[in-house]
Amino acid sequence: MITYYDDRRVRITSKAIRIDGRSYPLTEVDQVWHVRGGRSWGNLAGRGALLAAIAGPLVAAVLGLLIAVRLHTSLTVSIAIVGASVLVGLAVAPVADYLLEHVDRTYTRGAYRREIWAQWRGAPVRLLTTGDALRFGRIYRALERAVEQASASPARR
């Protein structure tokens, strides 16, 4: 028996698909397809909040520099404003890598719900719904391979 995919909720082998405790023998699965569901506004809002957290201090630093140039104050005050602006801009640097990593993860997860469906015993069955695009891709590719191998086997013909 070949295992194509295995995690806590999903196990795809050369014999069956097991998802959340339900089992679907591959000999009874005729077709597999996927559907893109609705947009996940929570993921998009989280991504926007992360980008705002990065941009906020940088915008404040640029504004500080512009104010220092426009105010026509003494050299000491201008240097203090520029120094404070530079410090605010630099304050984002240590946190920026951490925040950008989380922004990357939001793109990996995707902004849409994805569903995997199968034709099982003549009826369409939704096998899985997930918002994680990376996990969805892995499961769907494993499922396609398993179904293709099962339909090519001599016992299926």
Side-chain angles (χ1 to χ4, degrees), residues 47 50 97-107 109:
R47 186 182 304 161
L50 289 169
D97 187 46
Y98 176 77
L99 293 175
L100 287 172
E101 179 181 332
H102 283 285
V103 170
D104 274 350
R105 287 183 188 163
T106 66
Y107 280 101
R109 284 191 303 263

Side-chain angles (χ1 to χ4, degrees), residues 44-62:
L44 292 174
R47 186 182 304 161
L50 289 169
L51 292 172
I54 292 170
L58 295 176
V59 169
V62 169

